[in-house]
Amino acid sequence: MQEEKVVEVLSNYFQNMDEKREKSATDTSLNHPVWKPLVDTCTMSRKRPREEDDNCVPPAPAVSLPLQMSICKVAPFSDDPDANLERERCDYTNCITYKVAKSGRVQRPIRVYADGIYDLFHQGHARQLMQAKNLFPNVYLIVGVCSDALTHSKKGRTVMTDTERYEAVRHCRYVDEVIRDAPWELEEDFITRHKIDFVAHDEIPYMTDDGTDLYAWLKAKGMFVATERTEGVSTSDIVARIVRDYDIYVRRNLARGYSAKDLNVSFLNEKKFRLQNKMDELKDKGKRVMENIGEKRVDMIQKWEEKSRDFIDTFLLLFGREGRLSHIWNEGKGRLMQALSPPASPQRDGSPTSSNSSDHDESVSPPPPKAGRYEFSPSSSASAKFSNNGSPDDFSDDDDDHQSK
């Protein structure tokens, strides 16, 4: 009985699992391409054994996906197949009014057109396109970008080329299609060919050569929708910043490896800018050093106080009166004096020492004789007194001896 109950429970369990998998396979909420790989992985096949599906991840619960998924590719150009297909799907037979478009009861996307130069694409451009994208509940935004030749003739030179401006616009998340070489003045044929429902632009009137507003006829037909400009930022403002800080940007590009020829800078100006860069580098290094010293001065002072006593003791040990250098100097001085003094005369064997001999001589040798008085006649000569190599010591006080000589 127990075995039968176990078998019955297991069969009911697997039957419920099969029903859940079949239900998940038919659930439309999981048929979206985002969830399809997960559903295909977890759907059990009748041809495979059950052991292979034991490790299968259970199906994800039904999730209501948003209507608009994030864009993962750039907007197509007007002559690309995707743009042509979208244009063919649009039913342009019935005119859509502004009130109907705002109500959200239109069965197809509303095609809104915005044009411009879009040089140095900035946040002001992006905000203008965002406003155009959000004019109605379901908008297909078409953006026209003018070419270089038309822009230079009508407005002036651009910083970016037309190809760069096309790429900058088509990478904006709000743009669905880009028209290259857009016309300066919109005509009925252009509006019809691209099936445009509304034109979005700021309310500032753009005058033609004859003094009329470019968008006057669109405003009269109710096909014009105004957008707001972003104050404080424009392409002209960005160019003005570059012109104002010309030296800074030239020095920056020179430091980054650009040559003077690339920047159209003379030889002297190049040297001047490079010298300024070096001076700024030295200033920055000095500033960083002073900041580091300011941060670490407390630690440095404490460490210096700790080691100052050791420095003083070491100095006294080397240069003090009893220091090592004094001993070395005295020893060297003694060795030098000993080396420079003459050697003593050698002593003979058995001879008394110098001190004893001097004492003996003083004690033994008699005192010198007294000098006698002599009277010399004028006729006598000085040579006769010392004749025969005589010396004064040969004379004595005895009269007899003097007479005999």
Side-chain angles (χ1 to χ4, degrees):
M1 295 297 293
Q2 294 180 354
E3 294 178 358
E4 293 177 358
K5 290 182 179 180
V6 172
V7 172
E8 184 179 358
V9 171
L10 291 175
S11 62
N12 293 333
Y13 172 77
F14 288 116
Q15 185 177 0
N16 293 334
M17 292 293 293
D18 293 340
E19 292 177 357
K20 290 181 180 179
R21 290 189 180 93
E22 291 176 359
K23 183 179 180 180
S24 63
T26 58
D27 192 356
T28 57
S29 62
L30 296 177
N31 289 334
H32 195 275
V34 177
W35 302 105
K36 194 174 185 303
L38 182 61
V39 174
D40 293 342
T41 305
C42 298
T43 302
M44 180 181 293
S45 175
R46 297 292 183 182
K47 297 180 181 180
R48 292 182 297 172
R50 188 175 297 277
E51 289 77 12
E52 297 180 3
D53 297 319
D54 291 338
N55 297 326
C56 181
V57 180
V63 179
S64 59
L65 298 177
L67 296 177
Q68 294 181 355
M69 304 295 293
S70 60
I71 300 175
C72 301
K73 61 180 181 179
V74 297
F77 291 116
S78 58
D79 52 356
D80 289 344
D82 294 341
N84 293 330
L85 180 61
E86 184 65 27
R87 193 180 308 112
E88 292 175 359
R89 290 176 180 176
C90 177
D91 183 10
Y92 198 66
T93 56
N94 297 325
C95 181
I96 300 175
T97 63
Y98 180 81
K99 185 177 180 180
V100 174
K102 274 291 186 180
S103 65
R105 296 192 302 266
V106 183
Q107 300 299 322
R108 65 172 177 83
I110 300 173
R111 298 171 68 86
V112 178
Y113 175 79
D115 59 353
I117 309 302
Y118 300 105
D119 191 21
L120 296 176
F121 193 84
H122 50 76
Q123 70 270 26
H125 297 145
R127 289 193 61 185
Q128 185 252 345
L129 297 178
M130 180 186 68
Q131 294 177 48
K133 182 70 173 178
N134 295 321
L135 287 174
F136 309 109
N138 189 10
V139 171
Y140 182 84
L141 182 58
I142 306 170
V143 180
V145 183
C146 300
S147 63
D148 284 345
L150 181 61
T151 304
H152 295 170
S153 62
K154 295 290 185 179
K155 198 170 183 179
R157 186 174 181 82
T158 58
V159 178
M160 301 171 63
T161 63
D162 49 8
T163 304
E164 295 171 342
R165 292 185 284 113
Y166 298 153
E167 292 296 326
V169 172
R170 72 188 300 218
H171 281 82
C172 180
R173 60 182 300 181
Y174 311 114
V175 179
D176 298 308
E177 182 181 331
V178 175
I179 299 177
R180 293 172 289 191
D181 194 10
W184 194 263
E185 298 182 14
L186 298 179
E187 298 179 355
E188 187 71 30
D189 180 65
F190 180 83
I191 297 295
T192 305
R193 185 171 68 252
H194 292 281
K195 297 183 179 181
I196 297 172
D197 296 316
F198 295 94
V199 175
H201 206 276
D202 56 81
E203 291 183 339
I204 299 176
Y206 280 76
M207 299 300 177
T208 59
D209 296 336
D210 56 358
T212 60
D213 188 6
L214 290 175
Y215 304 102
W217 68 277
L218 292 170
K219 293 177 182 178
K221 294 181 65 173
M223 298 178 62
F224 182 85
V225 183
T227 56
E228 296 180 359
R229 294 177 62 90
T230 302
E231 298 296 334
V233 59
S234 65
T235 302
S236 300
D237 293 339
I238 297 175
V239 174
R241 296 178 201 172
I242 297 174
V243 174
R244 181 187 60 196
D245 300 328
Y246 169 78
D247 292 354
I248 296 175
Y249 293 115
V250 171
R251 289 163 52 189
R252 182 192 67 173
N253 287 353
L254 287 174
R256 293 183 177 182
Y258 286 85
S259 63
K261 184 178 180 181
D262 296 334
L263 300 175
N264 196 21
V265 177
S266 64
F267 177 79
L268 294 178
N269 287 334
E270 178 192 6
K271 299 303 180 185
K272 180 186 71 173
F273 292 141
R274 293 191 182 278
L275 179 60
Q276 291 176 351
N277 287 340
K278 292 295 183 183
M279 294 301 296
D280 289 343
E281 290 178 3
L282 293 176
K283 290 180 181 178
D284 293 338
K285 290 182 180 179
K287 186 177 179 180
R288 288 195 296 269
V289 170
M290 294 303 296
E291 289 177 354
N292 294 333
I293 292 175
E295 294 175 357
K296 299 179 180 179
R297 64 178 182 273
V298 177
D299 296 337
M300 294 176 63
I301 292 173
Q302 292 178 354
K303 292 181 180 179
W304 174 257
E305 290 177 354
E306 293 175 357
K307 294 184 179 180
S308 60
R309 182 59 57 185
D310 297 337
F311 293 156
I312 295 173
D313 294 341
T314 304
F315 182 84
L316 294 176
L317 183 63
L318 290 175
F319 300 99
R321 293 183 177 179
E322 301 297 331
R324 295 178 181 177
L325 293 180
S326 298
H327 289 292
I328 294 173
W329 169 253
N330 293 330
E331 293 178 0
K333 182 178 179 181
R335 293 177 181 176
L336 183 63
M337 295 298 295
Q338 185 178 1
L340 293 177
S341 61
S345 58
Q347 297 179 359
R348 295 180 180 179
D349 296 338
S351 63
T353 60
S354 61
S355 60
N356 295 331
S357 61
S358 61
D359 296 338
H360 178 73
D361 293 339
E362 290 177 359
S363 60
V364 174
S365 61
K370 296 180 180 180
R373 296 178 181 179
Y374 301 98
E375 292 179 0
F376 298 94
S377 60
S379 61
S380 63
S381 63
S383 60
K385 296 180 182 180
F386 301 95
S387 62
N388 299 321
N389 295 330
S391 64
D393 295 341
D394 294 335
F395 300 95
S396 63
D397 294 337
D398 297 335
D399 294 337
D400 296 339
D401 293 337
H402 179 71
Q403 292 175 0
S404 62
K405 290 182 177 181

